[in-house]
Amino acid sequence: MAAILARAGAAAIAAGNLRRPQETGNDSRRRTRNLVVAAVTGTRPEVPQEGSLERPAWSGETPLSRLVGALIAFKPLYFLMKLASREVIIRTAEKSNIPWREMTKQVLESDVYEVFESIRDLNLVYPDYYLNPFHAYDEGNLSWLAAAEAEPATMSIAKRAIPEAGSIDEANQIVRGNWLNAIEEHHLKYSGNCQINDILDVGCSVGVSTRYLAEKFPSAKAVGLDLSPYFLAVAAQKEEKISRQNRIRWVHGNGEATGLPSKSFDLVSLAYVCHECPARAITGLVNEAFRVLRPGGTITLTDNSPKSKVLQELSPVLFTLMKSTEPFLDEYYMLDLEETMRQAGFVNVHSILTDPRHRTVTATVPF
């Protein structure tokens, strides 16, 4: 399998005329320092390099994508891919000094189960796509193991994006710092001086992105909403140990139909959510965000960038393992996200690479 994919991947890279620039260790360290300074100070960072394609050759309806899809559809091979993908993720995290197994054990052996019952909405109907296996979990996000492993997995996102960073904290300073700075810059430019008083973090998982938003905008009231009561229980338990001006409220709900009042938020965020959703769900999420935002409010979506040079040049083995655990990845890469936001009514739609792997797309509800 690896040999077939390697040949196919090499052909795709050649067809896209993708070339890797040579970078010395000093160049890499200098670039990392510059990125950290930009993220901390709020100055505009060096924009990461885009690939030469609109999206990766391994996505969509390309021959390479169809080949990978056929391999994944073969159940015995899919089972092996799923196991391999999980092992690669954990091993990579632990090589980056993320104590994956220790963090997971701490959650599973805690009193998080008591929080679960108070946060779960028994009347919530899950959308069909959410019941599919993904991220190498048969139950998707509806399991304790997925919830317990979510934070170390999230920490890994930053280190994969900035592999040359000296630590996880440094990587997060860049990835999260650039994301938050892009939000603040957009809102200041287009909101008509509207303050960010109310924040909704859709698909908040175990609350990592919600906590970053609450710390960036400490006077605002933040709500974290997710379809997984398991994730929310972990988020709520962690929040109990944190002292802040405004406590984060956790809501078990569907981001496509939140049930929250119209025009009640100044900022709606979806962080690393859309690539896990079919196109119809992404459209629903964007439409609902438009409904709950006040005039002048900002939507922000951060996720994998189809134009990322790094993602376009992933090795065949890596992109095959990734696709085996992300059933809606092709739909995400094929969707014109910016146009979807315009169709929902948003204006001032802007997209920028905020790190070598991820884009942040921001837009405004018109007055």
Side-chain angles (χ1 to χ4, degrees), residues 12-230:
I13 289 173
N17 194 28
L18 301 177
R19 293 181 293 275
R20 293 180 181 272
Q22 295 298 313
E23 183 176 59
T24 68
N26 288 335
D27 290 338
S28 177
R29 286 188 291 273
R30 188 181 304 111
R31 183 163 59 86
T32 303
R33 283 197 300 271
N34 291 341
L35 287 170
V36 171
V37 169
V40 171
T41 61
T43 55
R44 184 173 293 279
E46 173 189 351
V47 178
Q49 190 174 5
E50 291 187 350
S52 62
L53 306 175
E54 283 299 308
R55 63 184 64 86
W58 45 261
S59 68
E61 298 299 326
T62 64
L64 179 56
S65 179
R66 287 195 291 270
L67 170 61
V68 173
L71 292 170
I72 294 171
F74 184 55
K75 293 300 181 184
L77 189 55
Y78 164 73
F79 179 75
L80 293 175
M81 286 181 186
K82 184 174 68 171
L83 294 179
S85 177
R86 177 173 171 76
E87 184 59 32
V88 166
I89 291 169
I90 295 175
R91 190 170 63 247
T92 302
E94 292 182 334
K95 282 183 178 178
S96 300
N97 296 317
I98 298 171
W100 184 293
R101 297 172 216 270
E102 181 183 336
M103 292 177 71
T104 300
K105 183 180 179 183
Q106 286 178 353
V107 172
L108 294 176
E109 293 181 353
S110 71
D111 59 356
V112 68
Y113 310 98
E114 299 172 12
V115 183
F116 176 81
E117 294 302 331
S118 64
I119 213 159
R120 178 173 57 161
D121 181 357
L122 293 172
N123 296 316
L124 181 66
V125 177
Y126 295 104
D128 55 356
Y129 73 85
Y130 197 73
L131 302 175
N132 284 336
F134 55 89
H135 288 177
Y137 303 109
D138 290 338
E139 304 89 355
N141 286 341
L142 295 173
S143 75
W144 283 116
L145 183 59
E149 294 184 333
E151 185 158 5
T154 301
M155 293 167 68
S156 298
I157 290 174
K159 195 64 172 71
R160 284 199 302 272
I162 315 292
E164 64 273 23
S167 66
I168 294 298
D169 286 342
E170 186 178 86
N172 268 319
Q173 278 186 303
I174 298 169
V175 173
R176 299 292 183 169
N178 289 345
W179 162 62
L180 292 168
N181 289 338
I183 295 171
E184 184 176 46
E185 183 178 315
H186 183 99
H187 194 78
L188 286 172
K189 186 173 182 178
Y190 296 110
S191 69
N193 296 320
C194 295
Q195 285 191 328
I196 295 180
N197 295 317
D198 296 282
I199 300 170
L200 175 62
D201 188 24
V202 176
C204 67
S205 181
V206 295
V208 175
S209 57
T210 325
R211 291 193 293 272
Y212 272 106
L213 290 164
E215 289 161 11
K216 177 70 173 179
F217 306 102
S219 64
K221 296 176 182 177
V223 175
L225 181 142
D226 203 275
L227 275 165
S228 173
Y230 301 89

Side-chain angles (χ1 to χ4, degrees), residues 306-307 335-344 346 349-352 359-363:
K307 295 184 178 181
L335 180 68
D336 186 334
L337 186 55
E338 291 87 344
E339 182 59 26
T340 299
M341 295 165 78
R342 293 187 187 97
Q343 289 291 328
F346 287 100
V349 181
H350 295 282
S351 180
I352 184 174
R359 61 178 170 176
T360 297
V361 188
T362 47

Side-chain angles (χ1 to χ4, degrees), residues 266-323:
D266 306 295
L267 174 65
V268 172
S269 172
L270 293 98
Y272 311 107
V273 172
C274 292
H275 76 275
E276 297 180 0
C277 302
R280 57 185 167 82
I282 298 173
T283 301
L285 291 167
V286 170
N287 286 335
E288 179 68 353
F290 187 86
R291 184 186 72 81
V292 301
L293 278 166
R294 298 180 178 114
T298 298
I299 184 175
T300 174
L301 299 92
T302 191
D303 215 315
N304 295 345
S305 173
K307 295 184 178 181
S308 161
K309 190 172 190 293
V310 172
L311 292 180
Q312 289 187 8
E313 294 182 354
L314 278 181
S315 74
V317 171
L318 282 180
F319 66 61
T320 301
L321 292 178
M322 182 168 66
K323 290 188 74 170

